[in-house]
């Protein structure tokens, strides 16, 4: 199989033409309002032009802004690095260098009232999307294997979390990611740190910690991108930003809101001393329960052993033996009684038989006369003279002949 032939390319454009077309397309955008955070201000002595570096708080992206010193002094005379501004500018493409910049004719520093209003609007938007829903919040594990900590380098918040957590549970492990917690780039660094810790399978809970500060200082923790990053984490997130009175938007999105970094340490790990005390109390209750059970069963055994059937087991045999002996005596008496009665009946019957028997009659002097054929003669007319007769007496028998 052969490769398909390539189509003939069109006439290529020179770089300058491409640059000119890009510049022409950007010029069509016209004037726009731009919101951002001032990362750098460059005021050259004696120069009428001021250069600003405007950074997107939620992304690693910045643009150069040029403006007249009078515009800056009239709109934001006290402008400092890290301030939030809104400026009216026209995008410009510098063809020679291939760079994009903004030329501003009006600059406004965002005031506290306006900033709070924007935060309230964002808060309502996130709440409507369900990012604050309590039903989706997860409970951190009782004893995490490893804790992820996102905080400023060598900050008091980092020290408070590590010190208090290790005081409560000395064996606790941390994976700390140090980031900028205010100013340009803070949001992007915090979001990246969250993604790194959330991807770590050994991290069971993540703590966002920062010390106190003004509303402008805590502004990164109310950024929409950070709130959505916290919402997307599969690992429970604990927010410990500022003091108890501070309430950045990330507090509402996080699974647990701690009033201070110290409070976060208390919420994430248990107190070893308290757990030992609770275990001791549980063991004491268990020992009392077992002891009561043993005592109760021992008392039951004592009661059972005190019963006659267990105190003297032979009683049952003796009772049954007595019953058998009594039944045997009763049977013997009944048998003797029946035998005596039968003997008396037999004696009476024998007496009657003897009284009625022919032998008894013969003993009284009577005789039985029989003919030769054995027929008993009861009347004289039953025989004739010369008939032989047999006379049975009590003491023998006689053979006689009838004379008449």
């Amino acid at each position: 199989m052969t490769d398909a032939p390539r189509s003939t390319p069109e006439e290529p454009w020179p770089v300058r033409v491409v640059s000119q077309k890009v510049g022409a397309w950007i010029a069509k955008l016209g004037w726009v309002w731009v919101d951002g955070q001032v990362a750098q201000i460059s005021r050259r002595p004696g120069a009428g032009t001021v250069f600003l570096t405007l950074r997107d708080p939620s992304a690693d992206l910045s643009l150069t802004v040029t403006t007249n010193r009078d515009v800056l002094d009239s709109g934001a005379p006290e402008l400092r690095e890290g301030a939030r501004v809104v400026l009216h500018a026209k995008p410009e493409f510098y063809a020679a260098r291939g760079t994009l910049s903004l030329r501003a004719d009006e600059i406004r520093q965002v005031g506290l009232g306006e900033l709070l209003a924007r935060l309230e609007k964002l808060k309502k938007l996130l709440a409507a999307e369900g990012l604050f829903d309590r039903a989706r919040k997860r409970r951190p594990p009782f004893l995490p294997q490893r804790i992820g900590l996102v905080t400023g380098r060598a900050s008091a918040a980092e020290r408070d979390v590590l010190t208090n957590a290790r005081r409560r549970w000395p064996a606790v492990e941390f994976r700390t990611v140090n980031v900028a917690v205010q100013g340009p780039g803070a949001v992007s660094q915090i979001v990246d740190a969250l993604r790194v810790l959330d991807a770590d399978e050994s991290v069971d809970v993540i703590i966002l910690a920062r010390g106190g500060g003004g509303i402008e200082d805590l502004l990164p923790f109310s950024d929409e991108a950070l709130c959505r990053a916290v919402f997307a984490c599969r690992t429970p997130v604990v927010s410990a930003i500022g003091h108890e009175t501070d309430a950045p938007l990330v507090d509402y999105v996080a699974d647990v809101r701690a009033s201070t970094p110290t409070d976060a340490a208390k919420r994430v790990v248990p107190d070893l001393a308290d757990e030992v005390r609770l275990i001791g109390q549980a063991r004491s209750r268990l020992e009392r329960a077992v002891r009561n059970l043993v005592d109760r069963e021992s008392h039951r055994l004592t009661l059972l052993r005190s019963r006659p059937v267990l105190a003297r087991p032979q009683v049952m045999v003796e009772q049954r033996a007595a019953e058998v002996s009594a039944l045997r005596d009763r049977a013997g008496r009944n048998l003797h009684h029946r035998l005596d009665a039968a003997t008396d009946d037999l004696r009476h019957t024998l007496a009657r038989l003897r009284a009625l028997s022919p032998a008894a009659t013969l003993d009284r002097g009577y005789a039985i006369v029989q003919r030769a054929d054995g027929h008993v003669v009861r009347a004289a007319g039953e025989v004739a003279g010369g008939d032989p007769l047999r006379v049975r007496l009590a003491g023998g028998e006689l053979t006689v002949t009838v004379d008449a």
Side-chain angles (χ1 to χ4, degrees):
M1 179 181 290
T2 59
D3 295 334
R6 296 182 179 180
S7 60
T8 304
E10 299 179 356
E11 186 67 22
W13 289 356
V15 174
R16 67 178 183 276
V17 176
V18 175
S19 181
Q20 290 172 359
K21 288 184 177 291
V22 172
W25 184 83
I26 292 176
K28 294 179 181 180
L29 293 178
W31 293 85
V32 294
W33 285 98
V34 182
D35 176 22
Q37 191 171 23
V38 177
Q40 185 178 1
I41 304 176
S42 178
R43 293 186 177 93
R44 296 178 181 176
T49 303
V50 179
F51 295 92
L52 306 176
T53 300
L54 193 66
R55 187 181 185 89
D56 190 317
S58 304
D60 190 10
L61 179 65
S62 61
L63 284 175
T64 300
V65 180
T66 59
T67 186
N68 189 277
R69 183 183 294 271
D70 294 336
V71 173
L72 182 62
D73 292 341
S74 62
E78 302 295 332
L79 188 62
R80 296 288 185 272
E81 293 179 357
R84 197 74 174 261
V85 295
V86 175
L87 51 87
H88 189 247
K90 180 177 176 60
E92 293 182 343
F93 184 74
Y94 186 51
R97 296 182 180 177
T99 58
L100 178 66
S101 63
L102 299 174
R103 178 167 54 86
D105 63 354
E106 184 178 353
I107 298 178
R108 300 177 186 174
Q109 185 171 355
V110 178
L112 181 59
E114 182 179 357
L115 183 60
L116 293 176
R118 294 176 63 184
L119 291 180
E120 186 64 26
K121 182 178 179 181
L122 178 59
K123 180 179 178 181
K124 292 180 180 179
L125 173 64
L126 298 180
E129 294 183 14
L131 270 68
F132 301 165
D133 189 4
R134 300 184 63 86
R136 59 153 293 275
K137 296 185 183 298
R138 296 152 297 184
R139 183 189 298 273
F142 171 73
L143 184 59
Q145 178 181 355
R146 177 176 290 181
I147 301 172
L149 177 60
V150 180
T151 186
R153 184 180 303 276
S155 61
E158 179 181 10
R159 184 177 62 255
D160 289 346
V161 172
L162 297 179
T163 302
N164 286 279
R166 287 168 179 162
R167 182 184 298 119
R168 292 171 63 84
W169 197 271
V172 66
E173 295 184 9
F174 277 91
R175 181 179 179 183
T176 304
V177 180
N178 295 119
V179 297
V181 292
Q182 70 182 63
V187 174
S188 60
Q189 292 185 32
I190 297 172
V191 171
D192 291 341
L194 280 175
R195 291 171 180 168
V196 170
L197 294 177
D198 192 43
D200 190 345
E201 295 292 339
S202 65
V203 174
D204 296 324
V205 63
I206 300 173
I207 299 177
L208 290 178
R210 188 204 189 283
I215 295 178
E216 295 84 356
D217 298 330
L218 302 180
L219 194 59
F221 295 95
S222 293
D223 188 86
E224 181 178 358
L226 177 58
C227 291
R228 295 190 183 278
V230 171
F231 182 79
C233 285
R234 63 172 182 81
T235 308
V237 178
V238 178
S239 175
I241 309 302
H243 302 296
E244 188 170 359
T245 55
D246 299 320
L249 296 184
V250 74
D251 280 357
Y252 300 96
V253 184
D255 297 285
V256 177
R257 190 254 179 183
S259 58
T260 61
T262 301
D263 183 48
K266 295 179 179 179
R267 288 175 176 266
V268 170
V269 294
D271 190 345
L272 179 60
D274 289 343
E275 298 305 318
V276 171
R277 178 177 53 81
L278 292 175
I279 292 175
Q281 293 177 354
R283 291 183 59 182
S284 298
R285 290 196 298 269
L286 182 60
E287 290 176 358
R288 288 196 299 270
V290 172
R291 190 178 299 109
N292 292 336
L293 178 62
V294 172
D295 292 342
R296 185 167 60 252
E297 295 303 321
S298 177
H299 181 64
R300 289 183 57 188
L301 289 176
T302 302
L303 293 178
L304 291 175
R305 291 179 59 188
S306 64
R307 295 180 180 179
V309 68
L310 292 180
R312 294 182 66 249
Q314 64 271 22
V315 171
M316 295 182 61
V317 178
E318 293 173 353
Q319 290 178 349
R320 297 299 179 267
E323 293 177 359
V324 171
S325 178
L327 290 175
R328 185 177 58 189
D329 293 344
R330 181 179 175 184
R333 289 194 301 271
N334 190 20
L335 179 60
H336 288 306
H337 176 71
R338 291 191 176 188
L339 289 176
D340 292 343
T343 301
D344 292 342
D345 291 342
L346 184 59
R347 187 182 299 110
H348 293 157
T349 301
L350 182 60
R352 288 195 298 271
L353 288 176
R354 287 177 178 175
L356 297 177
S357 67
T361 302
L362 294 177
D363 287 338
R364 292 196 299 270
Y366 294 95
I368 299 174
V369 180
Q370 295 176 312
R371 291 185 307 192
D373 58 3
H375 179 73
V376 177
V377 178
R378 293 182 175 82
E382 295 179 357
V383 296
D387 289 339
L389 296 176
R390 179 184 174 190
V391 180
R392 292 181 60 185
L393 303 173
E397 61 181 26
L398 297 175
T399 300
V400 298
T401 302
V402 177
D403 294 335

